[in-house]
Amino acid sequence: MVLDAVFGIIDPLRTDVVNAVQVCQKAGIMVRMVTGDNIDTARAIAKEAGILSPDGISMEGQDFRKLTPAQLDKILPSLQVLARSSPEDKHILVQRLNGGLMPKTEEEWCEAHPGMDFKSQKDLLLPGYYEEWAKFRNGVGEVVGVTGDGTNDGPALKAADVGLSMGISGTDVAKNASDIIIMDDNFSSIVKAVRWGRSVFDNIRKFLQFQLTVNVVALTITFLSAVAGYKPPLNAVMMLWVNLIMDTMGALALGTEPPTDQLLDRQPYRRDSGLISKPMWRNILVQASYQLGLLTFLLMNGPHMFGCKDGSTHHFTIIFNAFVFCQIFNEFNAREIGDVFDPFRNLSQSPMFLFIIFFTIVAQWIIVEFGGDFTQTHSLTFEEWKITAMLGSMSIPFGYIMRLIPVEEDPESFAGVEWKEKQTLKKKSQNSILGPLMIPILVAGFYKVYELNI
């Protein structure tokens, strides 16, 4: 017998997998490999994909199942490869990470471990029990995403916060148990899902930042006018229009912003982090302070500046117009919720935002000029339109100044890799070149107001 040849067969990684794993890791997402292959094959593939680092831990399922909950918690931050694993191992790993479906009572624990004694073995058998798990993690688990294509992956997909099944090779059981179906079976599609998820989260925060500013200003100016002896400068129809700008159109403008690659340059948020961050509170308070100062100034000095009767419809229309233009320009500020000042970035990719701004301006002109007795507004001259629009546009220079106030996000609100100062510096370096021009523009605006008030 003569040996003619030896053939080696390999199923190579897809070309986009390595890059996708790197992007996930850069975004603070820890990628783990749980497979039924032997340990040597799993390590080789994990190293090629960039999943297994030099200091990472790889182990087999039989060793994994022998660990106690406390021992597993110690190695979880470094556990990157789990080979020769069973579907139950994957399920236990997910449970221990996010706390989902953890036994909360003695009855639930005994149901998961038939024939075992709860009191003597509750701290020895995986996945543990909820009280012990919550004590170690302060009741907050990780946000876990799981990919799977087989019927046996169903329990892990169900226990995960986000289950992702394969559209081509996945079974019906896996698809039904998952939250997202990856139609092309590509790992890189997960990166797109992460980017869109973060975009939706940020868009909600942008809208909240904008909405709270409008609420604070509208309620406070109504209160201050009542204290000063004026009737409310914003009547019911005006307030309805402001609410329309704030709720419906504000949500459409800011909620439809497309995702950007910069969203993957930060760490993921913890599941218990607040929707409103410290920089957002700073932005809200600075913008609300400027708008309140402006409207109070117009309430007290508007008749002298514009030659109208104090407390007249003409007077209140000027206040109303300035207030609406403040919101229009503050929508540009609200497109960023951190320290980055670039209100006009990628506007061409946000057609809905541009349409809402255009529609708001046109509708405001119709309400003011043709509303009459119904809206209780007075027609304004071109000069009055120009001045009130200019006063509203000062919200943008204030958007630059407020971001110079050093307020950082709480590092504890981020999950994954520790918050790094270099990322903060990177964010600040992304400011638009328009930034330095904002201060002279602001000074020119205040000088114009001073001239009008003389």
Side-chain angles (χ1 to χ4, degrees):
M1 182 179 292
V2 178
L3 178 65
D4 289 331
V6 175
F7 289 93
I9 301 174
I10 186 173
D11 185 10
L13 289 173
R14 294 184 180 183
T15 55
D16 58 344
V17 169
V18 177
N19 181 62
V21 170
Q22 289 177 348
V23 171
C24 285
Q25 292 170 339
K26 179 184 175 184
I29 301 170
M30 184 171 185
V31 182
R32 306 175 197 262
M33 180 178 173
V34 183
T35 177
D37 293 334
N38 68 65
I39 189 71
D40 294 326
T41 303
R43 283 175 181 160
I45 295 174
K47 286 180 181 178
E48 185 181 355
I51 296 174
L52 183 61
S53 60
D55 56 348
I57 296 175
S58 57
M59 65 189 311
E60 292 186 328
Q62 59 181 358
D63 299 320
F64 174 82
R65 290 186 286 274
K66 295 176 183 178
L67 297 174
T68 66
Q71 290 172 336
L72 178 56
D73 286 336
K74 287 182 181 179
I75 68 169
L76 268 181
S78 302
L79 180 60
Q80 296 172 343
V81 176
L82 185 59
R84 286 295 183 192
S85 63
S86 66
E88 183 62 22
D89 294 335
K90 183 186 270 192
H91 186 228
I92 289 174
L93 181 61
V94 174
Q95 284 180 294
R96 198 66 200 172
L97 284 168
N98 69 358
L101 306 180
M102 288 283 286
K104 294 185 178 181
T105 64
E106 182 176 346
E107 290 74 19
E108 290 181 0
W109 189 93
C110 291
E111 185 180 344
H113 304 281
M116 300 297 179
D117 180 60
F118 175 75
K119 291 183 179 179
S120 61
Q121 296 181 297
K122 62 180 181 179
D123 294 321
L124 300 178
L125 298 178
L126 291 173
Y129 60 101
Y130 185 80
E131 183 181 350
E132 164 267 331
W133 174 88
K135 184 178 180 181
F136 179 78
R137 293 179 174 269
N138 295 320
V140 181
E142 305 290 343
V143 178
V144 181
V146 171
T147 63
D149 55 8
T151 301
N152 291 335
D153 293 323
L157 290 169
K158 205 73 175 176
D161 295 284
V162 182
L164 303 107
S165 62
M166 302 300 155
I168 299 175
S169 61
T171 63
D172 289 339
V173 173
K175 292 177 183 178
N176 291 331
S178 65
D179 303 292
I180 298 174
I181 299 175
I182 303 175
M183 300 305 297
D184 56 3
D185 284 15
N186 283 335
F187 185 84
S188 57
S189 296
I190 298 176
V191 176
K192 297 178 183 177
V194 171
R195 185 163 52 237
W196 273 100
R198 293 190 178 189
S199 177
V200 170
F201 180 74
D202 272 12
N203 287 349
I204 292 172
R205 301 176 91 193
K206 292 173 187 178
F207 171 64
L208 281 176
Q209 178 176 274
F210 174 70
Q211 186 184 49
L212 287 174
T213 303
V214 180
N215 276 333
V216 169
V217 177
L219 293 174
T220 307
I221 193 62
T222 302
F223 172 75
L224 291 178
S225 63
V227 172
Y230 291 93
K231 65 179 182 179
L234 302 177
N235 59 50
V237 177
M238 292 177 180
M239 287 297 288
L240 284 172
W241 171 234
V242 169
N243 279 327
L244 188 62
I245 296 174
M246 175 182 68
D247 293 332
T248 307
M249 290 189 287
L252 282 173
L254 298 171
T256 56
E257 288 274 271
T260 62
D261 291 335
Q262 286 75 23
L263 292 169
L264 299 176
D265 290 337
R266 70 161 190 241
Q267 306 306 308
Y269 286 100
R270 288 163 56 96
R271 64 169 67 243
D272 62 338
S273 61
L275 270 176
I276 305 177
S277 63
K278 291 180 180 178
M280 287 174 65
W281 279 120
R282 174 202 60 194
N283 299 346
I284 291 167
L285 292 175
V286 171
Q287 282 295 330
S289 298
Y290 165 67
Q291 293 182 24
L292 279 173
L294 171 63
L295 299 186
T296 302
F297 175 80
L298 291 177
L299 188 65
M300 306 302 293
N301 299 281
H304 172 69
M305 288 177 59
F306 296 95
C308 58
K309 185 179 178 181
D310 192 10
S312 64
T313 301
H314 189 185
H315 180 199
F316 287 161
T317 301
I318 290 171
I319 295 175
F320 170 58
N321 210 44
F323 178 55
V324 170
F325 271 104
C326 281
Q327 311 322 315
I328 291 172
F329 286 100
N330 192 39
E331 280 191 79
F332 288 91
N333 280 322
R335 297 181 73 224
E336 293 288 350
I337 54 180
D339 292 331
V340 177
F341 177 78
D342 197 356
F344 307 113
R345 180 175 58 182
N346 297 332
L347 277 177
S348 60
Q349 298 177 18
S350 302
M352 180 60 73
F353 182 90
L354 293 174
F355 172 77
I356 293 298
I357 294 297
F358 174 77
F359 176 78
T360 304
I361 293 173
V362 172
Q364 176 67 11
W365 177 75
I366 293 172
I367 288 171
V368 169
E369 296 298 322
F370 304 102
D373 293 336
F374 175 70
T375 57
Q376 297 180 32
T377 54
H378 186 282
S379 179
L380 301 180
T381 65
F382 175 76
E383 187 69 16
E384 289 168 340
W385 274 98
K386 185 174 69 173
I387 293 172
T388 51
M390 182 270 293
L391 293 173
S393 69
M394 291 299 103
S395 293
I396 290 183
F398 268 97
Y400 172 70
I401 292 174
M402 71 187 183
R403 287 178 170 88
L404 299 179
I405 301 173
V407 177
E408 299 292 343
E409 289 212 55
D410 183 5
E412 295 298 322
S413 64
F414 293 94
V417 183
E418 218 173 283
W419 180 250
K420 298 178 182 178
E421 185 179 351
K422 66 180 182 181
Q423 288 184 309
T424 303
L425 295 174
K426 182 178 179 181
K427 281 187 176 183
K428 289 184 177 178
S429 68
Q430 294 174 346
N431 283 338
S432 166
I433 58 174
L434 294 174
L437 299 176
M438 293 298 105
I439 294 179
I441 290 174
L442 191 63
V443 172
F446 280 125
Y447 181 73
K448 179 66 175 178
V449 173
Y450 171 75
E451 281 186 328
L452 292 170
N453 202 38
I454 295 177

